[in-house]
PDB file of all heavy atoms in Angstrom:
ATOM      1  N   ALA A 299       2.093  62.685   0.655  1.00 98.00           N
ATOM      2  CA  ALA A 299       1.057  61.670   0.789  1.00 98.00           C
ATOM      3  C   ALA A 299       1.172  60.956   2.124  1.00 98.00           C
ATOM      4  O   ALA A 299       0.213  60.262   2.540  1.00 98.00           O
ATOM      5  CB  ALA A 299       1.218  60.665  -0.360  1.00 98.00           C
ATOM      6  N   LYS A 329      13.918  47.376 -18.528  1.00 96.00           N
ATOM      7  CA  LYS A 329      13.419  47.540 -19.889  1.00 96.00           C
ATOM      8  C   LYS A 329      13.361  48.990 -20.361  1.00 96.00           C
ATOM      9  O   LYS A 329      13.598  49.344 -21.498  1.00 96.00           O
ATOM     10  CB  LYS A 329      12.062  46.861 -20.023  1.00 96.00           C
ATOM     11  CG  LYS A 329      11.858  46.323 -21.442  1.00 96.00           C
ATOM     12  CD  LYS A 329      10.573  45.487 -21.509  1.00 96.00           C
ATOM     13  CE  LYS A 329      10.012  45.496 -22.938  1.00 96.00           C
ATOM     14  NZ  LYS A 329       8.629  45.033 -22.992  1.00 96.00           N
ATOM     15  N   LEU A 334      22.024  52.608 -12.640  1.00 98.00           N
ATOM     16  CA  LEU A 334      22.247  53.059 -11.258  1.00 98.00           C
ATOM     17  C   LEU A 334      22.539  54.576 -11.247  1.00 98.00           C
ATOM     18  O   LEU A 334      22.099  55.289 -10.419  1.00 98.00           O
ATOM     19  CB  LEU A 334      23.433  52.220 -10.671  1.00 98.00           C
ATOM     20  CG  LEU A 334      23.684  52.445  -9.143  1.00 98.00           C
ATOM     21  CD1 LEU A 334      22.464  52.363  -8.352  1.00 98.00           C
ATOM     22  CD2 LEU A 334      24.647  51.361  -8.705  1.00 98.00           C
ATOM     23  N   ILE A 354      16.505  55.747   1.222  1.00 98.00           N
ATOM     24  CA  ILE A 354      17.261  54.519   1.368  1.00 98.00           C
ATOM     25  C   ILE A 354      17.237  53.762   0.063  1.00 98.00           C
ATOM     26  O   ILE A 354      16.188  53.412  -0.411  1.00 98.00           O
ATOM     27  CB  ILE A 354      16.671  53.711   2.538  1.00 98.00           C
ATOM     28  CG1 ILE A 354      16.803  54.502   3.863  1.00 98.00           C
ATOM     29  CG2 ILE A 354      17.341  52.309   2.660  1.00 98.00           C
ATOM     30  CD1 ILE A 354      15.561  54.566   4.650  1.00 98.00           C
ATOM     31  N   LEU A 382      21.469  52.486   3.023  1.00 98.00           N
ATOM     32  CA  LEU A 382      21.486  51.409   2.048  1.00 98.00           C
ATOM     33  C   LEU A 382      21.077  50.113   2.656  1.00 98.00           C
ATOM     34  O   LEU A 382      21.417  49.746   3.736  1.00 98.00           O
ATOM     35  CB  LEU A 382      22.930  51.207   1.565  1.00 98.00           C
ATOM     36  CG  LEU A 382      23.685  52.400   0.940  1.00 98.00           C
ATOM     37  CD1 LEU A 382      25.174  52.087   0.768  1.00 98.00           C
ATOM     38  CD2 LEU A 382      23.007  52.698  -0.423  1.00 98.00           C
ATOM     39  N   LEU A 409      19.266  43.634   7.737  1.00 96.00           N
ATOM     40  CA  LEU A 409      18.025  42.911   7.707  1.00 96.00           C
ATOM     41  C   LEU A 409      18.105  41.829   8.809  1.00 96.00           C
ATOM     42  O   LEU A 409      19.183  41.251   9.053  1.00 96.00           O
ATOM     43  CB  LEU A 409      17.812  42.248   6.355  1.00 96.00           C
ATOM     44  CG  LEU A 409      17.704  43.146   5.162  1.00 96.00           C
ATOM     45  CD1 LEU A 409      18.108  42.486   3.905  1.00 96.00           C
ATOM     46  CD2 LEU A 409      16.267  43.684   5.081  1.00 96.00           C
ATOM     47  N   THR A 410      17.008  41.664   9.489  1.00 96.00           N
ATOM     48  CA  THR A 410      16.889  40.504  10.364  1.00 96.00           C
ATOM     49  C   THR A 410      15.723  39.638   9.898  1.00 96.00           C
ATOM     50  O   THR A 410      14.868  40.141   9.146  1.00 96.00           O
ATOM     51  CB  THR A 410      16.576  40.922  11.876  1.00 96.00           C
ATOM     52  OG1 THR A 410      15.448  41.679  11.893  1.00 96.00           O
ATOM     53  CG2 THR A 410      17.876  41.696  12.389  1.00 96.00           C
ATOM     54  N   GLY A 427      23.433  50.538  11.040  1.00 93.00           N
ATOM     55  CA  GLY A 427      23.077  51.956  11.162  1.00 93.00           C
ATOM     56  C   GLY A 427      21.661  52.223  10.849  1.00 93.00           C
ATOM     57  O   GLY A 427      20.904  51.380  10.268  1.00 93.00           O
ATOM     58  N   ARG A 458      16.202  43.519  22.365  1.00 96.00           N
ATOM     59  CA  ARG A 458      17.205  43.200  23.439  1.00 96.00           C
ATOM     60  C   ARG A 458      18.641  43.339  22.968  1.00 96.00           C
ATOM     61  O   ARG A 458      19.563  43.429  23.736  1.00 96.00           O
ATOM     62  CB  ARG A 458      16.944  41.741  23.973  1.00 96.00           C
ATOM     63  CG  ARG A 458      15.698  41.639  24.842  1.00 96.00           C
ATOM     64  CD  ARG A 458      15.732  40.348  25.670  1.00 96.00           C
ATOM     65  NE  ARG A 458      15.644  39.120  24.880  1.00 96.00           N
ATOM     66  CZ  ARG A 458      14.473  38.557  24.490  1.00 96.00           C
ATOM     67  NH1 ARG A 458      13.366  39.148  24.832  1.00 96.00           N
ATOM     68  NH2 ARG A 458      14.499  37.452  23.826  1.00 96.00           N
ATOM     69  N   GLY A 469       4.951  41.471   3.414  1.00 91.00           N
ATOM     70  CA  GLY A 469       3.612  40.972   3.625  1.00 91.00           C
ATOM     71  C   GLY A 469       2.602  42.025   4.186  1.00 91.00           C
ATOM     72  O   GLY A 469       1.539  41.671   4.455  1.00 91.00           O
ATOM     73  N   ARG A 530       1.673  55.808  20.141  1.00 78.00           N
ATOM     74  CA  ARG A 530       2.755  55.055  20.828  1.00 78.00           C
ATOM     75  C   ARG A 530       3.367  55.896  21.823  1.00 78.00           C
ATOM     76  O   ARG A 530       3.444  57.098  21.705  1.00 78.00           O
ATOM     77  CB  ARG A 530       3.834  54.630  19.855  1.00 78.00           C
ATOM     78  CG  ARG A 530       3.374  53.552  18.869  1.00 78.00           C
ATOM     79  CD  ARG A 530       4.404  53.341  17.775  1.00 78.00           C
ATOM     80  NE  ARG A 530       5.675  53.131  18.282  1.00 78.00           N
ATOM     81  CZ  ARG A 530       6.194  51.967  18.781  1.00 78.00           C
ATOM     82  NH1 ARG A 530       5.439  50.969  18.838  1.00 78.00           N
ATOM     83  NH2 ARG A 530       7.433  51.844  19.290  1.00 78.00           N
TER      84      ARG A 530
END
Side-chain angles (χ1 to χ4, degrees):
Chain A
K329 209 172 154 196
L334 189 45
I354 295 129
L382 301 169
L409 297 158
T410 57
R458 285 198 294 275
R530 291 173 49 81

